[in-house]
Amino acid sequence: MTFLQDLTFVLVAAILTNLAAGLGAVPFFFIDEISDRIYVVLWGLASGVMLSASLFGLLPEGLRQGSPLLVVGGAVAGVGLVILAKRALSNYEFHPETISEADFRQLVLIVGTLTVHSFPEGVAVGVAFADLPVGGRGIDVLRFTIPLLAVFVTTAIAIQNIPEGLAVAIPLKTAGLSNTKILGWVLFSSLPQPIAAVIAFYFVNVTRAVLPIGLGFAAGAMIFLVLFELLPEARTRGSQLSGGGRLELAIGLAIGIAIMSPLLIAG
């Protein structure tokens, strides 16, 4: 396969993770409200698969590809970039329902906000496919041998995108937008992922020396997002539940890790 074909394959895989976010809007075609209990379980599930992808997929592969210093440096860079981006956007709260009325500055801020959350996940997909041209152990799809790490990470990101899509959809539903518009904005919210995946895949194939840094970057950024975005959001949503939603969160985490277990064993 040519490099362009490999790049196209990665783009398609990343687009599929983007489309998975749309599943978060699908329930509103049938019901008007999602209970906080289900919401907490879903955020727990997303956290479980993201932590599994980072701790048992990206970081070990990074250490196999390069020195611990490079991997740790990449992880620190990933965390640092997310923190800096969040601080730069700290005075702006993302309300998708206002996008149609936004001026140029608002649109820049909106895209920046979406990128903070989606870009690291796209990088994770891109670097996970780094060995696509090499072949070896993996799963055969359409005459491509997909590395197990790529299957592992892409599955995790796709699953995580579902509750993330739901998080975007809920305020839009409350604001009275139509289901079709809600679906469109949810898909838009994950648009940076395919872009980031292609960029990351290109760079780690042109300069293989950056692969351990890229793997560490993706892992560090995603772990940070889980600890400081996903889990706090789950605790906030579960604050009115009995026990503060801790049981629901634990169930979600357990389900997320269990879903990823077969790929962990295969790896």
Side-chain angles (χ1 to χ4, degrees), residues 38-246:
I38 293 176
Y39 196 87
V40 173
V41 171
L42 286 175
W43 272 132
L45 186 153
S47 299
V49 297
M50 293 282 277
L51 288 175
S52 296
S54 300
L55 296 175
F56 306 117
L58 294 168
L59 289 179
E61 183 63 22
L63 293 172
R64 280 193 289 268
Q65 296 285 345
S67 70
L69 183 61
L70 290 175
V71 177
V72 171
V76 171
V79 172
L81 185 61
V82 173
I83 292 175
L84 289 175
K86 286 176 67 64
R87 285 183 178 176
L89 298 166
S90 60
N91 294 326
Y92 180 78
E93 187 174 355
F94 172 44
H95 294 291
E97 65 270 20
T98 67
I99 291 178
S100 60
E101 304 168 2
D103 59 21
F104 180 75
R105 179 176 173 275
Q106 288 176 314
L107 285 173
V108 170
L109 289 169
I110 288 169
V111 172
T113 303
L114 297 175
T115 301
V116 168
H117 291 84
S118 296
F119 190 84
E121 297 160 6
V123 170
V125 173
V127 297
F129 275 93
D131 287 331
L132 181 60
V134 178
R137 291 188 64 196
I139 297 176
D140 292 329
V141 177
L142 299 176
R143 295 187 295 175
F144 287 84
T145 299
I146 306 176
L148 288 175
L149 178 64
V151 177
F152 184 57
V153 171
T154 303
T155 301
I157 300 300
I159 293 172
Q160 185 271 340
N161 276 350
I162 297 173
E164 195 166 86
L166 178 62
V168 174
I170 288 175
L172 297 181
K173 185 68 175 180
T174 303
L177 269 70
S178 68
N179 292 332
T180 303
K181 287 185 177 180
I182 290 173
L183 179 60
W185 289 126
V186 167
L187 293 174
F188 176 75
S189 71
S190 292
L191 191 59
Q193 284 181 11
I195 299 171
V198 169
I199 293 173
F201 179 75
Y202 175 81
F203 275 105
V204 297
N205 275 274
V206 171
T207 310
R208 296 284 296 185
V210 305
L211 179 55
I213 299 174
L215 290 163
F217 176 93
M222 290 202 300
I223 291 172
F224 179 85
L225 288 172
V226 168
L227 296 179
F228 293 95
E229 294 279 348
L230 273 64
L231 292 179
E233 175 69 16
R235 293 300 303 272
T236 299
R237 281 281 176 174
S239 60
Q240 302 302 316
L241 301 175
S242 59
R246 286 186 289 272

Side-chain angles (χ1 to χ4, degrees), residues 22-46:
L23 295 177
V26 169
F28 291 115
F29 283 84
F30 306 99
I31 58 177
D32 291 325
E33 189 175 353
I34 303 292
S35 72
D36 286 342
R37 193 176 304 278
I38 293 176
Y39 196 87
V40 173
V41 171
L42 286 175
W43 272 132
L45 186 153

